[in-house]
Amino acid sequence: QSVLTQPPSVSGAPGQRVTISCSGSSSNIEAGYDVHWYQQLPGTAPRLLISGDNNRPSGVPDRFSGSKSGASASLAITGLQAEDEADYYCQSYDSSLSGWAVFGGGTKLTVL
Amino acid sequence: EVQLVESGGGLVQPGRSLRLSCAASGFTFDDYAMHWVRQAPGKGLEWVSGISWNSGGIDYADSVKGRFTISRDNAKNSLYLQMNSLRAEDTALYHCAKDEEVAGTWGNAFDIWGQGTMVTVSS
């Protein structure tokens, strides 16, 4: 059970906007530690989508955006496309745990 | 091209050892911390271990502490994970990943990932 909680699944139709939440606590997200987001297409390695809460690495479409408020963070995807169907993971740091990183449990995005 | 290529995985009996390697290319390896992240079949990502650019900082997940040892050879642009006393629950695809920040350690994003090497622990 991860300290970062994500919904197991979300879905949306092509063209729609979806959000994926990442809920934490006072020892991780609420403490101000950065939240990062990854996309993992079936059978591939994770790809960095958003770093430092809301920064898109080069090559990531601006349809993807990140935000953070309080103890939660969100990944928003606008103009949903079939190729966005993948697993999405949030990542942060937790000061109450040993280790340099914690991941959320992951969210499966289905494009209807 | 920036690339990470893992090797060394395989089928191993419980209690035995295995050493994973990760060959880096296309970036200044000794500027960055490196990490191992694993993914059990059908499960999510789990951070396993990280090592700073100069090996001065090292940490492990509680699940592997005392059994796994991370190391790096900057002259060879290589990262390693020595896994001892392997258990069935260590069965996973092991990815090496590059820290996004120069001289970073904890809390940063992982901007480059290898495809992974599969470790199966079974009798």
Side-chain angles (χ1 to χ4, degrees):
Chain A
Q1 199 79 346
S2 176
V3 294
L4 302 178
T5 302
Q6 298 180 235
S9 64
V10 297
S11 63
Q16 283 190 333
R17 178 182 187 269
V18 297
T19 61
I20 298 172
S21 61
C22 177
S23 177
S25 67
S26 59
S27 59
N28 45 67
I29 297 175
E30 193 170 26
Y33 297 114
D34 285 346
V35 178
H36 319 294
W37 291 91
Y38 301 87
Q39 176 192 60
Q40 188 175 32
L41 299 170
T44 70
R47 168 200 182 195
L48 179 62
L49 270 187
I50 299 289
S51 67
D53 301 339
N54 55 18
N55 300 298
R56 275 178 291 106
S58 174
V60 175
D62 59 7
R63 302 186 297 105
F64 295 90
S65 63
S67 63
K68 186 171 79 176
S69 177
S72 292
S74 292
L75 173 70
I77 310 171
T78 58
L80 204 57
Q81 300 179 3
E83 67 224 43
D84 298 332
E85 187 160 294
D87 293 323
Y88 292 83
Y89 295 90
C90 62
Q91 178 220 328
S92 186
Y93 172 79
D94 191 293
S95 60
S96 71
L97 303 174
S98 63
W100 289 354
V102 289
F103 287 94
T107 298
K108 170 68 177 177
L109 169 62
T110 300
V111 180
L112 302 171
Chain B
E1 180 191 6
V2 178
Q3 196 172 12
L4 296 171
V5 179
E6 302 91 339
S7 61
L11 174 63
V12 61
Q13 293 179 327
R16 303 298 291 266
S17 300
L18 209 56
R19 188 193 195 210
L20 306 184
S21 299
C22 171
S25 59
F27 65 97
T28 306
F29 182 72
D30 55 12
D31 273 353
Y32 297 92
M34 297 293 295
H35 305 264
W36 288 99
V37 178
R38 69 184 180 183
Q39 188 168 28
K43 302 297 184 182
L45 302 173
E46 179 188 15
W47 180 85
V48 173
S49 182
I51 185 168
S52 66
W53 65 277
N54 63 352
S55 303
I58 287 175
D59 206 356
Y60 302 93
D62 284 344
S63 57
V64 307
K65 198 169 288 185
R67 300 187 299 121
F68 290 10
T69 301
I70 191 172
S71 62
R72 64 189 295 163
D73 185 335
N74 287 344
K76 295 183 178 179
N77 288 348
S78 293
L79 175 72
Y80 306 101
L81 186 68
Q82 177 67 42
M83 303 186 297
N84 299 332
S85 303
L86 282 161
R87 306 167 180 167
E89 53 264 37
D90 296 319
T91 294
L93 184 65
Y94 284 74
H95 298 276
C96 66
K98 169 186 167 292
D99 201 279
E100 186 183 38
E101 298 288 334
V102 171
T105 51
W106 54 266
N108 298 317
F110 307 152
D111 62 348
I112 304 296
W113 294 66
Q115 289 300 314
T117 185
M118 187 67 200
V119 173
T120 303
V121 184
S122 174
S123 54

